[in-house]
């Protein structure tokens, strides 16, 4: 198409296929570094041993190209598409084809059912949950973030009143982690979304999980909130795999958005220590 950069169905499907396999077999460098630091700092002998086993498991998965965990997740995809890009063949269809191939070729467990009440497996882990963002330019950025449900089931949403303030949010986040306990396979990454509407807060919490561990918000008051929450969560004593210790979370990432004068939505979304995501740009 004149004036537009064309990206083909096959280019997208092939890219997503590879990202599905990579995200499920290789942890990110930031996660690896965070686990190494946690292993060195963990005071509980059992906790230190568990983190050591986690690191060993991750190394085996990467070296042998096998899944890090048996739950290879429901595939969540974040797509940033430039206005000057023309997708030949359909973007959503191409992404789902890539998921289909990736989960088949990577021997990844297929965990998606066709209907939430009639529990029949789709057989190929599709459809993916896809979030689109349209921006200027001629690039297509794809982030694949498979989400296991041991952690996803621990999600919480609360519609606070503005008068409840930040202290109520802190209490809510800490209680969500405490209630989750060992279920999300700690050490965890905690995503928090504040603002917008009900669904926007949930999206922000999910998106917050994608931020590299150790990178704080560029808003000073939010960065301070992240650090305070991380310290308080790690003082809960839940520890690695819920068996006690100082390392309950590797990071707390908070994302915010403007909201209504009458509202203060807050969502919590938790990732297990694998924090699966992989990305590429076409």
């Amino acid at each position: 198409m004149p004036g537009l950069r064309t990206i083909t169905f096959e280019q997208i499907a092939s890219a997503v296929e590879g990202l599905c396999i990579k995200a499920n077999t290789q942890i990110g460098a930031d996660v690896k570094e965070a686990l190494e630091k946690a292993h060195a700092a963990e005071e509980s002998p059992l906790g230190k041993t568990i983190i050591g086993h986690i690191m060993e498991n991750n190394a085996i998965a990467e070296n042998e190209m096998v899944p890090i965990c048996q739950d290879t997740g429901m595939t969540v995809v974040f797509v940033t598409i430039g206005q000057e890009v023309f997708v030949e063949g359909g973007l959503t269809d191409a992404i789902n084809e890539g998921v289909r191939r990736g989960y088949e070729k990577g021997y990844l467990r297929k965990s998606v059912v066709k209907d939430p009440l009639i529990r029949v497996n789709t057989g190929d882990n599709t459809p993916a949950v896809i979030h689109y963002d349209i921006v200027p330019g001629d690039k297509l950025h794809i982030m694949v973030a498979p989400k296991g449900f041991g952690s996803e089931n621990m999600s919480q949403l609360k519609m606070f009143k503005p008068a409840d303030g930040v202290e109520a949010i802190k209490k809510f986040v800490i209680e969500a982690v405490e209630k989750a306990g060992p279920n999300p396979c700690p050490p965890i990454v905690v995503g928090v979304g504040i603002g917008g509407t009900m669904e926007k807060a949930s999206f922000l919490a999910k998106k917050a999980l994608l931020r590299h561990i150790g990178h704080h918000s560029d808003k000073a008051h939010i960065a301070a909130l992240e650090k305070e929450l991380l310290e308080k969560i790690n003082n809960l004593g839940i520890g690695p795999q819920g068996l006690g210790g100082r390392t309950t979370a590797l990071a707390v990432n908070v994302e915010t958005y403007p909201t209504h004068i009458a509202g203060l939505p807050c969502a919590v979304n938790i990732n297990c220590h694998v924090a699966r995501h992989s990305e590429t740009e076409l």
Side-chain angles (χ1 to χ4, degrees), residues 74-143:
M74 187 168 189
T75 313
V76 182
V77 185
F78 293 83
V79 179
T80 305
I81 182 168
Q83 292 171 318
E84 298 168 36
V85 170
F86 171 69
V87 176
E88 189 176 78
L91 181 51
T92 298
D93 287 345
I95 290 170
N96 279 316
E97 177 61 22
V99 172
R100 188 175 293 112
R101 293 183 198 172
Y103 275 73
E104 185 65 30
K105 294 182 181 178
Y107 300 99
L108 308 176
R109 195 184 81 186
K110 301 158 186 76
S111 304
V112 177
V113 294
K114 295 179 182 179
D115 184 282
L117 300 181
I118 303 171
R119 313 290 290 189
V120 178
N121 202 295
T122 63
D124 57 13
N125 223 61
T126 67
V129 175
I130 309 172
H131 301 285
Y132 292 106
D133 189 19
I134 301 171
V135 298
D138 65 352
K139 298 288 190 290
L140 176 64
H141 183 271
I142 302 172
M143 169 87 77

Side-chain angles (χ1 to χ4, degrees), residues 209-230:
L209 296 175
L210 305 179
R211 195 196 308 160
H212 281 198
I213 292 173
H215 290 197
H216 288 287
S217 171
D218 56 6
K219 300 175 182 176
H221 67 296
I222 299 301
L225 176 62
E226 291 172 341
K227 293 171 185 176
E228 180 182 347
L229 286 171
L230 180 61

Side-chain angles (χ1 to χ4, degrees), residues 44-268:
S44 162
L46 179 56
K48 185 182 285 285
T49 298
I50 291 170
I51 296 173
H53 288 325
I54 287 171
M55 293 164 64
E56 182 183 6
N57 176 75
N58 294 342
I60 291 170
E62 184 170 354
N63 291 335
E64 298 188 11
M65 287 293 288
V66 295
I68 298 166
C69 174
Q70 51 81 26
D71 185 352
T72 51
M74 187 168 189
T75 313
V76 182
V77 185
F78 293 83
V79 179
T80 305
I81 182 168
Q83 292 171 318
E84 298 168 36
V85 170
F86 171 69
V87 176
E88 189 176 78
L91 181 51
T92 298
D93 287 345
I95 290 170
N96 279 316
E97 177 61 22
V99 172
R100 188 175 293 112
R101 293 183 198 172
Y103 275 73
E104 185 65 30
K105 294 182 181 178
Y107 300 99
L108 308 176
R109 195 184 81 186
K110 301 158 186 76
S111 304
V112 177
V113 294
K114 295 179 182 179
D115 184 282
L117 300 181
I118 303 171
R119 313 290 290 189
V120 178
N121 202 295
T122 63
D124 57 13
N125 223 61
T126 67
V129 175
I130 309 172
H131 301 285
Y132 292 106
D133 189 19
I134 301 171
V135 298
D138 65 352
K139 298 288 190 290
L140 176 64
H141 183 271
I142 302 172
M143 169 87 77
V144 169
K147 193 67 165 64
F149 266 61
S151 59
E152 187 69 5
N153 283 340
M154 299 299 105
S155 305
Q156 291 201 35
L157 171 71
K158 182 87 171 180
M159 303 300 289
F160 288 105
K161 297 174 183 176
D164 293 328
V166 69
E167 292 305 318
I169 287 175
K170 291 176 189 176
K171 182 180 178 183
F172 170 61
V173 174
I174 293 164
E175 286 181 350
V177 173
E178 191 168 26
K179 185 177 179 180
N183 293 308
C185 293
I188 58 178
V189 178
V190 183
V192 181
I194 307 172
T197 53
M198 175 197 73
E199 80 280 7
K200 184 66 174 183
S202 297
F203 170 78
L204 291 171
K206 176 77 85 253
K207 189 176 179 182
L209 296 175
L210 305 179
R211 195 196 308 160
H212 281 198
I213 292 173
H215 290 197
H216 288 287
S217 171
D218 56 6
K219 300 175 182 176
H221 67 296
I222 299 301
L225 176 62
E226 291 172 341
K227 293 171 185 176
E228 180 182 347
L229 286 171
L230 180 61
E231 182 179 356
K232 288 183 175 179
I233 286 169
N234 282 332
N235 283 334
L236 291 173
I238 296 170
Q241 296 298 298
L243 295 173
R246 300 281 292 177
T247 314
T248 298
L250 299 175
V252 176
N253 296 337
V254 180
E255 294 290 335
T256 64
Y257 194 82
T259 192
H260 190 277
I261 56 172
L264 184 59
C266 181
V268 176

